[in-house]
Amino acid sequence: SSVQTIGEEQIQNPYTELLVLKGHQDIVRFLVQIDDCRFASAGDDGIVFLWNAQTGEKLFELHGHTQKITAIAPFSSSDVSEEKIHLIITASADRTVIVWDCISGRQVQKVSCFHSTVKCLTVLQRLDVWLSGGSDLCVWNQKLDLLCKTSHLTDAGISALVELPKNCVAAAVGKELVIFRLSASNSGSEGWNVLEVKRLVDHQDNILSLVSVNDLTFVTGSHVGELIVWDALDWTKQAPECNFWDSSLHPDVQPEIKLSQSPNETSVQHLTSDEECVFAAVGKGIYVYNLQMKRVIACQRTAHDSSVLHIEKLPNRQLISCSEDGSVRIWELREKQQLPAETVPTGFFNMWGFGRANKQANQAAKKMQENTPMYFLELVGDLIGHSSAVQMFLYFGELGLATCSADHLIILWKDGERESSLRSLTLFQKLAQNGDLQLRL
């Protein structure tokens, strides 16, 4: 199916104003939120910028890395006076990690003891520690003192981390999912141990995305379109899903129902979730997988012209996606009022199986499908401003949306009506202060 288009009259799209933020000299790959109105950006130029999300003002330009930044994470804690301290930690291909103070813009600590590039960072807020993933897993305190580390895992290393209950984390290491447990050492309050407790080898290809749904569930997605829902407590599979594009793995699959011969078009690039659904960026498309029904309830197979790199669910029933094609699109998840003209494609994240042996199961599934509500994704906004791949974005509620791109730019998308009202209010207040306007109660 062809990509949906939307005309110039985008009635449901509030983002009619934009601010272009310049400063980076190379691809901007990361945006992280610091607080309600500040965020940091980083990318291949090795520089970190701190910005005001309301005004677009550049607050700090942080220099310390000599190569591209590979991971970034925010961290907040309280000092003795209970004042909140906002920090960010950055990792680089120069094999260093730096902690920055967001108030002063200064380096708090720098560590250069890594044998390989750190590819991912995560903060365990409850334990007040950081984790860095590369060829091994390291545990750090706020001052970047190394508390403990694993032995060398693989040359490929850890590509993604997600926090699990009971002081555990799941690490993506190629095709494997490795579960580690952190425990406090008996020798002292600062002593920690990290122990590998399980290896899950259910994926057929490299795991690209991990997301925690809640304390009971997390989800992983792979390069060949596999999506697996896991129990976060005992690490068993709750629902294994596969697109069955590879007929050699499933000889009973009929050729006409294969989605694609190219794994790039079925690659699960990014996952996000709420308590009810998992939202998957798969190839050029978007899929909404309901955790209770254990099936896809809505999809847009060609949401963009190129791969979808990032997807987020907004507080309302809207989704935002961005792509290698340079576009940012807003979707609304709506319930179909009539019988669906186009059902969810058979074979993608399919629960029901194929072949004659499954005919009865398929009929039962079809009956269940008819009795359950179906949804569709409607395109309600198309934000055109970047000239190259949009890597990711941050949603700031009333303050708007921040996007970063391979065109070296960051764009703040603003609600035009809100900004116009704020300008009118500011003008009104200035006139009143100058005595040019008589205020009446």
Side-chain angles (χ1 to χ4, degrees):
S1 60
S2 59
V3 176
Q4 280 192 33
T5 57
I6 189 169
E8 292 183 8
E9 289 293 323
Q10 299 185 39
I11 301 169
Q12 299 175 73
N13 178 11
Y15 302 114
T16 54
E17 288 191 19
L18 56 86
L19 288 171
V20 179
L21 312 185
K22 298 180 180 179
H24 283 285
Q25 306 298 316
D26 210 328
I27 298 174
V28 190
R29 297 190 186 273
F30 305 104
L31 300 174
V32 292
Q33 188 167 348
I34 297 168
D35 53 29
D36 290 342
C37 65
R38 289 184 300 163
F39 69 97
S41 63
D44 288 6
D45 59 7
I47 307 169
V48 182
F49 287 92
L50 269 55
W51 308 91
N52 183 306
Q54 171 65 56
T55 63
E57 177 191 0
K58 186 195 298 178
L59 303 174
F60 291 107
E61 185 173 330
L62 311 180
H63 293 266
H65 292 295
T66 58
Q67 294 184 41
K68 69 179 182 179
I69 289 172
T70 53
I72 183 170
F75 182 64
S76 59
S77 64
S78 300
D79 60 10
V80 181
S81 63
E82 294 300 315
E83 185 179 346
K84 199 129 185 175
I85 302 170
H86 291 285
L87 305 169
I88 53 173
I89 183 167
T90 54
S92 168
D94 63 12
R95 299 186 181 182
T96 66
V97 166
I98 300 176
V99 176
W100 307 88
D101 185 330
C102 296
I103 299 297
S104 65
R106 295 177 180 172
Q107 282 189 27
V108 176
Q109 191 64 265
K110 183 173 183 176
V111 174
S112 310
C113 62
F114 298 95
H115 300 297
S116 65
T117 300
V118 172
K119 296 179 180 178
C120 53
L121 296 163
T122 192
V123 177
L124 305 186
Q125 198 84 39
R126 188 173 54 83
L127 299 177
D128 205 31
V129 296
W130 311 86
L131 301 180
S132 64
S135 59
D136 43 28
L137 180 70
C138 299
V139 183
W140 312 82
N141 64 12
Q142 186 180 316
K143 297 176 182 177
L144 270 189
D145 298 321
L146 180 61
L147 304 179
C148 59
K149 64 183 288 189
T150 63
S151 57
H152 184 82
L153 294 167
T154 63
D155 290 334
I158 299 169
S159 58
L161 288 165
V162 67
E163 182 178 3
L164 301 179
K166 298 182 179 179
N167 296 353
C168 290
V169 292
V173 184
K175 301 176 186 180
E176 296 183 326
L177 198 62
V178 186
I179 309 296
F180 294 97
R181 177 174 282 121
L182 277 70
S183 60
S185 146
N186 296 327
S187 57
S189 59
E190 281 293 302
W192 287 85
N193 293 316
V194 58
L195 180 69
E196 180 184 320
V197 291
K198 192 151 189 175
R199 285 195 177 226
L200 307 171
V201 291
D202 299 78
H203 278 289
Q204 302 298 316
D205 207 337
N206 289 343
I207 300 167
L208 298 184
S209 43
L210 291 171
V211 66
S212 174
V213 178
N214 49 41
D215 287 341
L216 301 176
T217 308
F218 72 102
V219 181
T220 55
S222 82
H223 184 58
V224 291
E226 305 159 300
L227 181 143
I228 298 179
V229 182
W230 301 90
D231 187 301
L233 297 175
D234 62 10
W235 319 305
T236 56
K237 285 194 292 186
Q238 290 184 345
E241 306 296 336
C242 182
N243 64 15
F244 298 117
W245 70 273
D246 189 345
S247 57
S248 64
L249 296 176
H250 304 274
D252 57 336
V253 176
Q254 300 302 315
E256 61 267 21
I257 61 174
K258 288 192 295 183
L259 263 190
S260 169
Q261 294 296 332
S262 168
N264 290 326
E265 293 186 17
T266 57
S267 176
V268 184
Q269 292 292 132
H270 188 237
L271 293 169
T272 188
S273 75
D274 56 15
E275 289 290 319
E276 187 180 350
C277 294
V278 173
F279 306 91
V282 184
K284 301 176 182 178
I286 299 169
Y287 291 76
V288 183
Y289 177 86
N290 186 284
L291 290 161
Q292 187 173 0
M293 298 180 193
K294 291 188 169 72
R295 67 180 178 88
V296 172
I297 59 168
C299 76
Q300 191 60 246
R301 281 188 293 177
T302 47
H304 292 264
D305 287 315
S306 300
S307 294
V308 181
L309 299 180
H310 193 81
I311 182 172
E312 288 294 342
K313 169 80 162 48
L314 300 192
N316 50 32
R317 294 188 70 82
Q318 289 186 338
L319 291 170
I320 298 182
S321 59
C322 64
S323 166
E324 284 182 346
D325 63 16
S327 65
V328 182
R329 304 193 119 189
I330 307 170
W331 308 86
E332 190 157 311
L333 186 63
R334 294 183 177 172
E335 189 172 340
K336 288 186 177 178
Q337 300 301 318
Q338 301 173 348
L339 286 174
E342 180 189 357
T343 58
V344 173
T346 305
F348 210 107
F349 300 161
N350 187 319
M351 282 299 294
W352 317 121
F354 303 96
R356 293 177 184 174
N358 294 313
K359 189 174 181 182
Q360 194 173 359
N362 285 340
Q363 287 174 347
K366 189 176 180 183
K367 190 173 182 181
M368 178 185 170
Q369 223 168 345
E370 288 172 355
N371 294 333
T372 54
M374 287 299 295
Y375 298 85
F376 68 101
L377 289 165
E378 182 176 345
L379 180 63
V380 297
D382 201 356
L383 310 182
I384 305 297
H386 288 291
S387 61
S388 192
V390 181
Q391 303 294 315
M392 65 169 295
F393 52 85
L394 287 178
Y395 176 68
F396 281 95
E398 286 188 340
L399 297 185
L401 189 72
T403 57
C404 65
S405 169
D407 61 12
H408 310 178
L409 300 177
I410 297 164
I411 294 181
L412 287 179
W413 304 87
K414 297 288 189 177
D415 184 327
E417 287 188 14
R418 180 178 181 273
E419 295 302 307
S420 179
S421 298
L422 289 174
R423 284 192 292 269
S424 298
L425 181 61
T426 303
L427 179 62
F428 183 83
Q429 290 171 339
K430 282 184 178 178
L431 290 172
Q433 288 171 0
N434 294 336
D436 297 331
L437 182 68
Q438 183 66 40
L439 285 175
R440 296 181 182 180
L441 298 177

